[in-house]
Amino acid sequence: MFKAAVLTVSDRSFRGERPDAGGPLVAELLKSAGYEVAQTMIVPDEQGRIEAALRQWCDREPVDLIVTTGGTGFAPRDVTPEATIAVCDRLTPGIPEAMRYASMQVTSRAMLSRAAAGIRRGTLIVNLPGSPKAAKENLEAVLPTLAHGLEMLSGRPADCASLTD
């Protein structure tokens, strides 16, 4: 079982002005897929705060997977991708590409997502949109493949040549 953490990035949810709908939904989807959700947190749309939370979960309280929700759009305070890229050792562009492709089947606005994904040490970080509907669509697009990537990242044996792929 892989250990995951969910980071909600939202000024209004952080201030208590709006309930966090995306983070709990993402946590439930991960639990349903067999992940242990060890940590959840809400931070404001501030790059330093986002980076600090990501570093904490990668370096001091290691988890296998961090999923963020929020801060991936065009608004001036949407800086989650920048924070993710700043803390990652390696980027994994195929993950956000797959999410955008899946969302493009639903809405052309998906092309406006700036979501990023990458690896810091032994942790995979994936950005999702802030909208609960879009977060669900994006996570469901990549969730079946994430376990395989996490197995490879952890050094566990992972069969790269599958008869079903």
Side-chain angles (χ1 to χ4, degrees), residues 50-116:
I50 300 164
E51 287 181 25
L54 296 175
R55 284 189 181 103
Q56 176 181 336
W57 286 341
C58 292
D59 302 350
R60 293 190 296 275
E61 303 169 27
V63 294
D64 302 298
L65 173 67
I66 299 171
V67 180
T68 72
T69 178
T72 61
F74 280 22
R77 290 186 57 79
D78 288 341
V79 295
T80 304
E82 287 77 11
T84 299
I85 291 167
V87 303
C88 285
D89 304 316
R90 298 181 287 163
L91 298 180
T92 57
I95 294 171
E97 289 168 6
M99 293 188 308
R100 280 187 281 274
Y101 175 79
S103 283
M104 284 289 296
Q105 309 311 303
V106 178
T107 176
S108 62
R109 291 182 180 177
M111 71 178 74
L112 302 178
S113 171
R114 299 182 321 101

